Amino acid sequence: MITVIQFSNNTFHIYNDDVSYIIKILKNNHLGQLYFGKKIRHRDDFDHLLVEKGTSLAPCVFKGDLDFSLEVLKQEYPSYGTGDYRDPAYQVVADNGSSITDLVYKSHIIKNGKDAITGLPSTYGNNVETLEITLQDDVIGLKVLLRYHVFSDIAAIVRSTAFINISTKPLRIERAMSASLDLYDSNFEMITLDGAWARERHISTRKITSGIQSVASSRGASSAMHNPFIALKRPQTTETAGEAYGFTLIYSGNFLAQVEVDAYDVTRVLMGINPFEFNWTLLAGEKFDTPEAVLVYSDSGLNKMSQNFHNLFRNNLMRGKYKQKSRPILINNWEATYFDFNEESILKIAATAKAAGIELFVLDDGWFGKRDNDSTSLGDWSVYLEKLPNGIKGLSEKINAMGLDFGLWFEPEMVNEISELYATHPDYAIATPNRKSSYGRNQYVLDFSRTEVVDCIFNKMCEIIDTANIAYIKWDMNRNITEAFSHSLTAACQKEFFHRYILGVYSLYDRLIARFPEILFESCASGGARFDAGMLYYAPQAWASDNTDAVERLHIQYGTSMLYPIVSMGSHVAAVPNHQVDRVTSLKMRADVAYFGTFGYELDLNKISAAELEQVKEQITFFKKYQDVIQLGDFYRLSQGNFYCWLVVSADKSTAILGYYKILASPNPSIKKINLVGLNSATEYSCNNKNYYGDELMNVGMILETEFTGLTQSDNFEGKYTSGTDKGDFTSQIYVFEAI
Ligand code: GLA
């Protein structure tokens, strides 16, 4: 694989074997965008790709040159106010109140490798090349760095921007997108991942049309309502064929992902920190970095787009001991006990879990302060000794002695009104002076934009973690920010709050990871309300949803896989009737869905029958055997709707595992057959005592278990006639294909 960034004839060509990205220095010294898409051959001159097309009324840069108008040109990092009336990539206000800028090309650097962005999550690797272009506005003294990174083996460009004040007066940034992209046409459908608590990341698809369409968050977290992701696909693109562009932000706070179709059908994509409720004062000499945006291209369907994200996140974003390792099978006590537990009941759950083959016990909410319900104790990270008389130390030692690792829940960013922390430091809670504060789950959000608040929580967490042998931490975050305000910020800087808050969250993660590098973090936010690429840099897995129902999880996990790898999706088998939707599904289906994630259990195994416990043991044995294939292989979505189907194929294509799920049964059904993908055509695979060649499985397809066709009693034969073993609603089938 090659990675190259070339500069000739005032044109940058960034490419690897899969993608090309071409930027041209225009005759006004601004940057024009020529192309992003499938790799094209390099040539010294791409001027023939430049479209200069004016209209008689469009504002033009040079007198009499009607064809050179910013209103019509495809641009790299556009501004507002000098002819382009589309939404701009940035806005910077000078001390005289003007936001007119003129960023012209000054210089560039091309180098191997890439730098981390201080204080923010960012991609890294050895197989990456960087282009940094410096633009400058000499009138207001603003320098802007546009950074581009291309990894040798991934069809993606990673971008970020930095603003530097080289004047002697303050500048105010009002908008700072990480990336802007002008595509030649608008024949696209936009995919977004939308939802709410317990129904996160459902896929929605709409045709884009003239004007602005966007998803965003202003909640202080990336949110369950919209994930920081959009894809633009051609109307005919499927999971396995056709063009698709995917965009995400490596960021966990307020974001904007916007698509604007202009009068000439150019589609402008903007991705960055949400400009709503944002600005940033840049004093003389200061620098502001945006988060990174990832721009992925696929010419072979949505699966390829997703696999590019999966590979980038697994290889060049996630860190730590579990980076490229399958994850421990855990049991979590939340749905088993909620707040009602003590040391004895926890040890009973753990002992049965250990006997079933589980590797890690996670103690969820309720172990600290006086926490018997959600109205108290957040912020007081000291052990609730009436529940756990031997402390976390004593409990974790007993759990370790059973042969299980021990994990613990924290919600570091929060405080309850009823708590010692709030009594001592009421000002640590986010609140606007002289205004009532809104409640959310009976708790307030701590002002993590203040270093002393982060220090305080860091010290409290360390006191607990230091006492015990903690292998895993579930970092929860259960409410969004209201009445945003910080005592540490001046009136002019209050709109820096949301970004400073998330920088505070990242700094606490950084400090904990530096001090406890062995701990596996799982992020969580009332389920999956902060499941984003920013979090994956610190916590390589995230609890996908509080909804543990197998049917609901099909929608959630299918949507999540649009950009997040299987190995990052927290997925557990829970009790029935399900606590979120009261649905009863089989233990088999619950596991068959949960296998395609981190896999674990969230119920009291002492409360199921002996036969079911045997089944759990078999499930764990199965999962351990195929865990590496599932969590580290290539994932493909094959179908959704009443019949969900997905597939993982090991990197060497020797093993493939197919999950097939039926939601509702239908009468007198058709034959069910699914065409596999990603196998070796010439390899012979065995599955359930039958042998198939890869080309058969991919072209003829795998004929699945026959659906039940009804009961009949007839004179023509004796007794009852039935056919089909796949009976009833909510069923699942797992097929393992192994190369012979
Ligand atoms: C959130 C999480 C749950 C659980 C509870 C505990 O809702 O998503 O998994 O940890 O908090 O209060």
Side-chain angles (χ1 to χ4, degrees):
M1 269 276 186
I2 47 143
T3 311
V4 184
I5 299 176
Q6 281 184 334
F7 180 67
S8 58
N9 191 32
N10 277 343
T11 304
F12 299 96
H13 185 194
I14 308 167
Y15 61 95
N16 61 21
D17 282 351
D18 296 317
V19 287
S20 281
Y21 192 109
I22 307 175
I23 304 163
K24 160 102 191 148
I25 303 170
L26 303 173
K27 60 190 178 200
N28 61 346
N29 281 325
H30 287 204
L31 298 181
Q33 206 162 60
L34 295 193
Y35 176 70
F36 174 46
K38 190 176 171 70
K39 194 236 161 154
I40 54 176
R41 81 187 55 245
H42 179 71
R43 44 197 287 183
D44 288 337
D45 186 343
F46 284 108
D47 277 3
H48 51 290
L49 298 183
L50 180 65
V51 186
E52 287 183 13
K53 177 193 88 68
T55 66
S56 59
L57 291 176
C60 51
V61 176
F62 305 105
K63 192 172 178 187
D65 186 352
L66 294 185
D67 276 347
F68 196 81
S69 168
L70 299 181
E71 179 172 321
V72 189
L73 278 162
K74 277 160 76 305
Q75 294 173 76
E76 190 54 31
Y77 203 65
S79 64
Y80 168 79
T82 54
D84 187 343
Y85 294 103
R86 296 165 286 191
D87 269 10
Y90 72 98
Q91 276 197 293
V92 174
V93 184
D95 76 323
N96 68 356
S98 162
S99 53
I100 301 302
T101 52
D102 183 28
L103 281 180
V104 298
Y105 169 83
K106 279 282 159 182
S107 61
H108 71 267
I109 303 166
I110 294 169
K111 63 175 187 185
N112 279 325
K114 86 180 274 291
D115 299 326
I117 305 180
T118 312
L120 281 168
S122 57
T123 53
Y124 62 91
N126 302 323
N127 54 338
V128 57
E129 215 168 307
T130 293
L131 164 66
E132 183 178 285
I133 305 177
T134 301
L135 308 174
Q136 205 159 299
D137 181 320
D138 289 325
V139 175
I140 63 167
L142 171 68
K143 193 192 259 196
V144 168
L145 311 178
L146 299 183
R147 295 179 290 226
Y148 301 82
H149 313 284
V150 58
F151 290 85
S152 58
D153 49 358
I154 294 169
I157 302 287
V158 175
R159 286 184 61 176
S160 68
T161 307
F163 294 79
I164 303 164
N165 184 344
I166 52 167
S167 79
T168 51
K169 295 176 181 159
L171 295 171
R172 193 172 72 244
I173 304 171
E174 299 215 316
R175 167 187 280 258
M177 290 294 120
S178 300
S180 172
L181 185 73
D182 286 355
L183 294 163
Y184 278 103
D185 69 286
S186 65
N187 185 27
F188 290 110
E189 289 174 348
M190 176 164 102
I191 299 177
T192 54
L193 299 175
D194 308 321
W197 173 76
R199 48 182 171 82
E200 297 91 339
R201 292 174 303 285
H202 285 214
I203 297 171
S204 65
T205 307
R206 67 192 106 162
K207 175 91 187 86
I208 62 166
T209 180
S210 180
I212 288 175
Q213 37 258 291
S214 67
V215 288
S217 169
S218 52
R219 294 164 175 265
S222 48
S223 97
M225 198 172 163
H226 302 293
N227 200 259
F229 162 79
I230 53 174
L232 291 179
K233 71 171 196 69
R234 299 295 180 188
Q236 66 277 13
T237 296
T238 63
E239 287 289 0
T240 46
E243 266 200 314
Y245 292 88
F247 305 87
T248 195
L249 200 61
I250 303 183
Y251 190 59
S252 314
N254 292 348
F255 72 92
L256 172 69
Q258 176 174 303
V259 170
E260 178 173 6
V261 178
D262 74 9
Y264 306 98
D265 283 331
V266 167
T267 298
R268 173 169 294 173
V269 181
L270 295 176
M271 192 117 206
I273 294 173
N274 193 348
F276 175 70
E277 284 298 302
F278 166 82
N279 67 35
W280 195 272
T281 300
L282 208 57
L283 300 176
E286 282 184 348
K287 179 170 171 234
F288 177 84
D289 285 299
T290 72
E292 287 186 342
V294 182
L295 289 62
V296 164
Y297 173 78
S298 163
D299 65 341
S300 35
L302 292 169
N303 274 320
K304 188 77 198 128
M305 174 197 78
S306 301
Q307 287 170 2
N308 276 309
F309 280 119
H310 299 172
N311 291 336
L312 182 75
F313 294 169
R314 286 190 299 199
N315 302 333
N316 305 101
L317 181 67
M318 293 175 177
R319 300 174 300 165
K321 173 171 146 186
Y322 286 96
K323 177 179 162 168
Q324 261 145 350
K325 267 174 99 181
S326 44
R327 307 293 162 78
I329 302 173
L330 67 80
I331 186 151
N332 177 303
N333 72 306
W334 178 241
E335 286 198 9
T337 64
Y338 295 102
F339 295 105
D340 187 14
F341 61 81
N342 56 29
E343 188 182 277
E344 198 191 334
S345 62
I346 289 298
L347 290 174
K348 271 192 195 149
I349 294 174
T352 312
K354 170 65 193 170
I358 286 170
E359 297 159 328
L360 164 70
F361 177 86
V362 178
L363 181 63
D364 210 278
D365 193 356
W367 60 266
F368 51 90
K370 298 261 175 250
R371 187 136 163 118
D372 290 315
N373 55 55
D374 66 12
S375 70
T376 158
S377 301
L378 289 171
D380 295 346
W381 300 110
S382 51
V383 184
Y384 192 174
L385 290 171
E386 276 120 73
K387 283 188 189 176
L388 303 173
N390 299 304
I392 291 296
K393 179 177 180 343
L395 176 66
S396 63
E397 280 169 357
K398 289 180 187 167
I399 296 224
N400 285 166
M402 289 176 185
L404 284 169
D405 281 339
F406 180 76
L408 193 61
W409 181 97
F410 283 95
E411 194 176 358
E413 297 153 75
M414 301 290 157
V415 65
N416 283 113
E417 209 167 9
I418 310 170
S419 67
E420 282 171 26
L421 180 65
Y422 191 76
T424 334
H425 293 293
D427 63 302
Y428 279 13
I430 296 167
T432 300
N434 308 317
R435 303 240 169 242
K436 184 185 156 295
S437 289
S438 306
Y439 289 95
R441 210 194 184 203
N442 290 312
Q443 66 199 48
Y444 296 136
V445 186
L446 289 170
D447 183 356
F448 264 39
S449 74
R450 290 168 64 181
T451 322
E452 66 272 34
V453 178
V454 175
D455 287 348
C456 163
I457 298 300
F458 173 71
N459 292 333
K460 283 168 182 272
M461 289 178 77
C462 287
E463 271 173 40
I464 289 290
I465 304 168
D466 279 337
T467 63
N469 186 17
I470 293 178
Y472 160 109
I473 286 178
K474 178 175 173 188
W475 175 323
D476 210 340
M477 192 286 291
N478 282 314
R479 69 156 286 185
N480 289 143
I481 293 170
T482 55
E483 291 84 31
F485 183 89
S486 177
H487 294 289
S488 65
L489 296 171
T490 61
C493 293
Q494 285 298 332
K495 290 200 175 182
E496 297 179 10
F497 171 75
F498 279 109
H499 184 58
R500 288 192 185 275
Y501 174 85
I502 212 72
L503 293 179
V505 172
Y506 292 151
S507 76
L508 182 57
Y509 261 117
D510 269 332
R511 291 169 69 178
L512 288 169
I513 289 168
R515 171 117 169 218
F516 307 106
E518 297 289 305
I519 291 181
L520 170 63
F521 284 87
E522 175 156 342
S523 78
C524 174
S526 307
R530 202 165 61 183
F531 199 139
D532 56 60
M535 277 295 138
L536 290 184
Y537 181 69
Y538 306 96
Q541 58 191 59
W543 182 223
S545 178
D546 277 348
N547 198 330
T548 49
D549 172 63
V551 174
E552 290 301 314
R553 277 294 184 130
L554 291 172
H555 312 306
I556 293 167
Q557 291 176 206
Y558 203 85
T560 305
S561 77
M562 273 288 157
L563 70 162
Y564 304 107
I566 291 301
V567 72
S568 70
M569 273 183 230
S571 57
H572 301 165
V573 174
V576 286
N578 175 267
H579 294 196
Q580 291 75 37
V581 293
D582 210 39
R583 184 181 285 131
V584 176
T585 54
S586 66
L587 183 55
K588 171 173 165 51
M589 184 182 192
R590 280 174 276 153
D592 286 354
V593 175
Y595 288 148
F596 294 85
T598 57
F599 193 58
Y601 290 80
E602 186 148 342
L603 76 171
D604 188 345
L605 293 176
N606 299 304
K607 293 187 177 155
I608 60 176
S609 69
E612 282 180 320
L613 192 56
E614 276 313 304
Q615 207 182 334
V616 166
K617 287 181 188 163
E618 285 162 20
Q619 291 172 346
I620 292 169
T621 307
F622 169 84
F623 189 72
K624 283 182 178 166
K625 183 164 178 201
Y626 294 109
Q627 183 168 19
D628 283 357
V629 175
I630 293 178
Q631 295 187 338
L632 308 177
D634 292 326
F635 182 80
Y636 296 88
R637 291 174 302 272
L638 297 182
S639 77
Q640 59 172 327
N642 195 45
F643 303 96
Y644 270 86
C645 189
W646 52 45
L647 173 78
V648 284
V649 181
S650 62
D652 64 2
K653 297 180 189 288
S654 66
T655 310
I657 301 172
L658 180 80
Y660 176 81
Y661 311 87
K662 179 185 73 193
I663 299 179
L664 294 181
S666 50
N668 198 8
S670 53
I671 293 167
K672 294 295 171 307
K673 175 178 86 71
I674 195 95
N675 289 58
L676 274 61
V677 289
L679 305 178
N680 264 339
S681 298
T683 301
E684 196 177 3
Y685 295 89
S686 87
C687 174
N688 296 340
N689 303 318
K690 286 187 186 161
N691 292 356
Y692 309 83
Y693 280 100
D695 59 358
E696 292 175 88
L697 290 168
M698 294 193 288
N699 297 302
V700 183
M702 174 74 186
I703 295 164
L704 304 168
E705 206 181 312
T706 324
E707 271 181 84
F708 180 66
T709 55
L711 268 173
T712 321
Q713 215 156 6
S714 166
D715 285 346
N716 296 336
F717 50 85
E718 278 176 27
K720 287 176 183 166
Y721 166 79
T722 70
S723 173
T725 45
D726 178 11
K727 289 183 175 175
D729 297 337
F730 319 134
T731 62
S732 60
Q733 300 165 37
I734 296 285
Y735 296 88
V736 178
F737 301 87
E738 283 177 297
I740 295 169

